[in-house]
């Protein structure tokens, strides 16, 4: 941790050029902090960018006041991390440890400067992204999740944090550290808890955590967006990048995690430009940062529950009780894995049954076999990834081959991995366990024989159902719920639906190629038609 902080500090010392600092002075104001003054409080919105001209700032524990990181920030360095661009709150408490002079720049002014000075934007984004990455990797945060090792509700919050690149410290329920944290918040008994900035969140949920972190994005009631992008997968994030780049006001609404289903892919090797592969989460994260650079905003975990057309506007009712209106809507909700009709499935979700295979879920595969259900690329990538931590991985495939559903390079790797067993013509018959999954019974549909697998981790990645219930009645759908687009369905362009001003891109669009690259392409290309609609209404 100390080495990383020192390296980052060294990188920042020569980061901003003299003309960048002059530009900051023109839009900012000077401020002086006395030794011991709190500069940024943990849990408060990051509304100001501070460029340090003299003095020293340290990161401290918000509860004890003790220094958390040995390296401090000094002249020519600046405060902030990537969440600053989206209105998030600070995950740190910072204090002046000497008399300190800074230039204070409001975030809106910083974003405007970054749009005018690309070199400055590159430097600020590089540092901001590096800080977030370091915070996540080293759990440098005031967010403490106690009991994710045993409690499904805390696991769900941990998964939300992990998939959205939110730094969180996971603490086992029975550990001495958990006892210390509970005592600091006056929590009685050995119970799971979510503690943020020294305060426990009562009856915690991902929604409550998002609200505490400033991720819900409460828009002004009078604000009308140029485009509302529903869905934060590859297509939605790409649309967000190009909307911002074209100067359109845009918000991406996502009901779970930015990245969508693609964000759960542990390794994508056939995406152009990444010869050694990249995880789906990392790929979409880069796009999210890029979109924020252009001014696109993100809101999560928020679901669009209904849509209403009023004259030339589309007004969406959101799951948090608010409403947002826009001149156009891009449907990029993708698809979700189907839930198998298994007895006691609901009881084991989060307690042995998972629908994503990321670093978060892999923690629960140690010292147990993992079972993956599915024959597509996502299932194959999950099996390869989980084989690093599980004793063994069993991939269950309903058909007698992977040739039609999985890329050949991936199926070849599965065959070559001694820790992965592929079971063809096989499906799950029953789930075993008390409060947590302990095993599954599977059946070969050809031979009609059964086998029991001891496993505490089952990953379901089978089938694809579009997320379009909220859209019914506003755009034509096919028999499976996918959105119909193009001239043959009443659209004026390839991605416009039967309702002018509503567009669909990515996996949710009927006839689309279900690949990350094609989704990114559609999210990018659709913006010319959106721009034309906005400017001709």
């Amino acid at each position: 941790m100390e080495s990383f902080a020192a390296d980052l500090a060294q990188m920042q010392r020569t980061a901003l050029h003299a003309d960048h600092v002059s530009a900051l002075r023109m839009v900012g104001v000077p401020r002086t902090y006395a030794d011991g003054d709190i500069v940024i409080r943990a849990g408060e919105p990051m509304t100001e960018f501070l460029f340090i001209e003299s003095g020293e700032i340290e990161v401290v524990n918000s509860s004890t006041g003790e220094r958390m990181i040995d390296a401090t920030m000094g002249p020519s360095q600046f405060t902030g991390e990537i969440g600053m661009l989206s209105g998030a709150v600070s995950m740190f408490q910072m204090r002046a440890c000497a008399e300190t002079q800074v230039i204070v720049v409001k975030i809106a002014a910083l974003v405007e400067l970054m749009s005018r000075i690309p070199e400055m934007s590159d430097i600020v984004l590089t540092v901001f992204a590096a800080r977030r990455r370091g915070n996540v990797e080293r759990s440098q945060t005031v967010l403490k999740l106690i009991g994710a090792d045993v409690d499904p509700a805390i696991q769900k919050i941990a998964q939300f944090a992990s998939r959205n690149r939110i730094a969180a410290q996971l603490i086992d329920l029975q550990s001495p550290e958990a006892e210390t944290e509970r005592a600091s918040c006056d929590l009685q008994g050995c119970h799971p808890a979510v503690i943020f900035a020294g305060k426990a969140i009562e009856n915690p949920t991902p929604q409550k955590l998002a609200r505490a972190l400033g991720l819900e994005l409460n828009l002004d009631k009078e604000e009308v967006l140029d485009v509302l992008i529903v869905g934060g997968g590859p297509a939605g994030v790409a649309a967000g990048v190009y909307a911002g780049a074209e100067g359109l006001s845009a918000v991406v609404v996502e009901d779970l995690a930015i990245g969508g289903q693609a964000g759960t892919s542990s390794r994508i090797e056939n995406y152009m430009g990444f010869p050694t592969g990249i995880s789906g989460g990392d790929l979409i994260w880069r796009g999210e940062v890029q979109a924020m650079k252009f001014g696109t905003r993100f809101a999560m975990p928020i679901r669009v529950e209904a849509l209403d057309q009023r004259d030339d506007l589309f007004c969406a009712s959101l799951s948090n009780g608010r409403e947002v209106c826009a001149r156009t809507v891009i449907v990029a909700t993708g698809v979700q894995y189907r839930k198998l009709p298994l007895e006691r499935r609901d009881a084991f979700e989060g307690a042995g049954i998972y629908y994503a295979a990321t670093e978060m879920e892999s923690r629960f595969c140690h010292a147990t076999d993992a079972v993956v259900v599915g024959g597509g690329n996502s299932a194959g990538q999950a099996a390869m990834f989980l084989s690093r931590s599980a004793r063994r991985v069993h991939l269950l495939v309903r058909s007698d081959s992977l040739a039609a559903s999985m890329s050949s390079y991936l199926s070849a790797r599965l065959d070559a991995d001694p820790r992965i067993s592929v079971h063809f013509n096989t499906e799950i018959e029953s789930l075993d366990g008390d409060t947590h999954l302990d095993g599954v019974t599977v059946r070969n549909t050809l031979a009609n024989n059964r086998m029991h697998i001891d496993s505490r981790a089952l990953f379901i990645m089978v089938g694809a159902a579009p997320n379009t219930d909220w859209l019914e009645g506003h755009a034509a759908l096919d028999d499976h719920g996918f959105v119909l687009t193009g001239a043959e369905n009443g659209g004026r362009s390839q991605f416009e639906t039967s309702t002018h001003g509503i567009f669909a891109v990515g996996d949710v669009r009927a006839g689309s190629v279900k690949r990350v690259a094609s989704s990114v392409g559609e999210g990018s290309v659709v913006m010319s038609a959106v721009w034309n609609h906005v400017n001709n209404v």
Side-chain angles (χ1 to χ4, degrees):
M1 183 192 309
E2 295 172 10
S3 174
F4 171 82
D7 291 345
L8 185 57
Q10 179 61 35
M11 176 179 69
Q12 287 181 275
R13 288 193 179 96
T14 56
L16 293 180
H17 305 159
D19 56 334
H20 300 160
V21 178
S22 296
L24 290 172
R25 286 198 179 99
M26 291 182 66
V27 299
V29 296
R31 182 184 295 166
T32 299
Y33 291 99
D35 183 5
D37 282 353
I38 298 298
V39 176
I40 299 172
R41 292 188 182 278
E44 291 189 353
M46 295 183 286
T47 59
E48 297 177 337
F49 172 90
L50 307 181
F51 178 81
I52 304 171
E53 296 200 281
S54 66
E56 191 176 10
I57 294 176
E58 61 184 346
V59 178
V60 297
N61 185 304
S62 58
S63 299
T64 66
E66 297 177 356
R67 181 179 290 184
M68 286 180 58
I69 301 174
D70 284 348
T72 59
M73 302 176 63
S76 79
Q77 295 178 259
F78 50 84
T79 63
E81 58 95 41
I82 206 69
M84 178 176 279
L85 301 180
S86 62
V89 304
S90 177
M91 304 294 279
F92 290 102
Q93 187 135 306
M94 306 190 80
R95 179 177 65 196
C97 48
E99 184 176 289
T100 302
Q101 284 79 39
V102 301
I103 301 172
V104 182
V105 179
K106 296 295 183 182
I107 299 307
L110 175 68
V111 171
E112 195 278 330
L113 270 185
M114 290 168 61
S115 69
R116 288 195 290 108
I117 311 174
E119 296 83 3
M120 178 183 178
S121 174
D122 292 345
I123 293 167
V124 171
L125 285 178
T126 296
V127 174
F128 278 7
R131 281 182 177 162
R132 172 64 71 88
R133 186 168 55 249
N135 296 343
V136 170
E137 290 174 354
R138 294 161 181 80
S139 300
Q140 297 171 338
T141 177
V142 291
L143 175 61
K144 313 291 178 70
L145 307 182
I146 300 175
D149 55 321
V150 296
D151 187 81
I154 303 299
Q155 281 183 22
K156 185 178 292 186
I157 294 171
Q159 289 163 352
F160 169 77
S162 176
R163 290 189 59 190
N164 285 292
R165 294 295 195 276
I166 298 167
Q169 184 178 351
L170 273 59
I171 303 173
D172 288 350
L173 183 65
Q174 301 287 349
S175 67
E177 190 176 4
E179 190 175 330
T180 300
E181 292 291 343
R182 282 190 292 263
S184 69
C185 295
D186 294 324
L187 296 177
Q188 304 299 317
C190 184
H191 302 295
V194 174
I195 299 173
F196 179 62
K199 298 179 180 178
I201 297 177
E202 188 175 348
N203 299 318
T205 63
Q207 291 75 17
K208 287 186 177 181
L209 176 60
R211 194 171 302 128
L213 298 179
L215 301 178
E216 273 197 329
L217 189 65
N218 294 322
L219 298 173
D220 189 296
K221 285 185 178 181
E222 304 303 316
E223 182 176 1
V224 175
L225 302 170
D226 289 324
V227 55
L228 172 65
I229 302 168
V230 186
V237 172
V241 171
Y242 279 80
E246 292 296 330
L248 300 176
S249 60
V251 167
V252 178
V253 174
E254 169 58 45
D255 71 349
L256 179 60
I258 301 301
Q261 193 179 98
T264 68
S265 295
S266 55
R267 188 178 178 88
I268 300 173
E269 292 193 67
N270 56 359
Y271 193 88
M272 190 186 73
F274 296 92
T276 59
I278 185 172
S279 74
D282 283 341
L283 179 66
I284 308 304
W285 162 247
R286 294 181 185 210
E288 182 182 358
V289 172
Q290 195 172 6
M292 286 192 287
K293 164 188 172 180
F294 290 121
T296 294
R297 292 164 288 178
F298 290 79
M300 66 192 116
I302 293 177
R303 184 177 62 259
V304 173
E305 297 187 328
L307 194 64
D308 183 29
Q309 188 169 2
R310 302 173 193 165
D311 298 324
D312 293 331
L313 298 180
F314 300 97
C315 295
S317 299
L318 307 179
S319 56
N320 63 355
R322 296 179 178 271
E323 182 180 77
V324 58
C325 295
R327 296 177 179 86
T328 60
V329 174
I330 294 179
V331 183
T333 47
V335 297
Q336 60 188 7
Y337 293 122
R338 297 185 187 276
K339 295 189 175 185
L340 297 177
L342 298 170
E343 188 177 350
R344 302 186 67 203
R345 181 203 64 210
D346 292 346
F348 290 132
E349 287 182 343
I353 293 182
Y354 309 101
Y355 297 91
T358 67
E359 290 286 353
M360 177 69 234
E361 289 82 12
S362 70
R363 299 176 73 250
F364 309 122
C365 292
H366 293 289
T368 186
D369 283 16
V371 177
V372 180
V373 183
N377 278 0
S378 294
Q381 290 160 353
M384 291 294 300
F385 176 67
L386 296 171
S387 67
R388 305 175 193 172
S389 51
R391 283 187 316 216
R392 186 168 196 81
V393 177
H394 300 268
L395 179 63
L396 310 185
V397 184
R398 290 182 62 186
S399 65
D400 58 6
S401 169
L402 291 172
S405 58
M406 186 179 294
S407 298
S408 60
Y409 81 89
L410 189 53
S411 60
R413 289 187 180 178
L414 294 175
D415 289 339
D417 194 323
R419 299 181 67 181
I420 298 175
S421 297
V422 182
H423 306 269
F424 293 108
N425 303 302
T426 302
E427 58 187 30
I428 293 181
E429 189 169 82
S430 64
L431 307 174
D432 304 312
D434 186 9
T435 58
H436 193 287
L437 182 73
D438 289 328
V440 298
T441 298
V442 304
R443 181 175 69 91
N444 184 290
T445 55
L446 289 183
N448 199 33
N449 55 20
R450 290 165 177 76
M451 175 178 67
H452 180 82
I453 302 174
D454 290 327
S455 173
R456 293 178 58 81
L458 168 63
F459 297 83
I460 300 175
M461 298 179 170
V462 58
N467 300 310
T468 54
D469 290 347
W470 61 278
L471 193 61
E472 194 167 356
H474 295 283
L477 309 176
D478 70 9
D479 293 340
H480 300 288
F482 290 92
V483 187
L484 296 167
T485 62
E488 64 273 28
N489 296 297
R492 297 167 299 179
S493 59
Q494 182 181 3
F495 303 113
E496 191 171 44
T497 69
S498 56
T499 298
H500 293 174
I502 299 180
F503 304 81
V505 292
D507 288 2
V508 75
R509 189 176 70 85
S512 66
V513 178
K514 308 306 192 243
R515 288 288 185 269
V516 172
S518 59
S519 292
V520 170
E522 292 188 9
S524 307
V525 173
V526 72
M527 206 47 62
S528 61
V530 171
W531 193 93
N532 287 335
H533 181 88
V534 168
N535 287 278
N536 288 292
V537 170

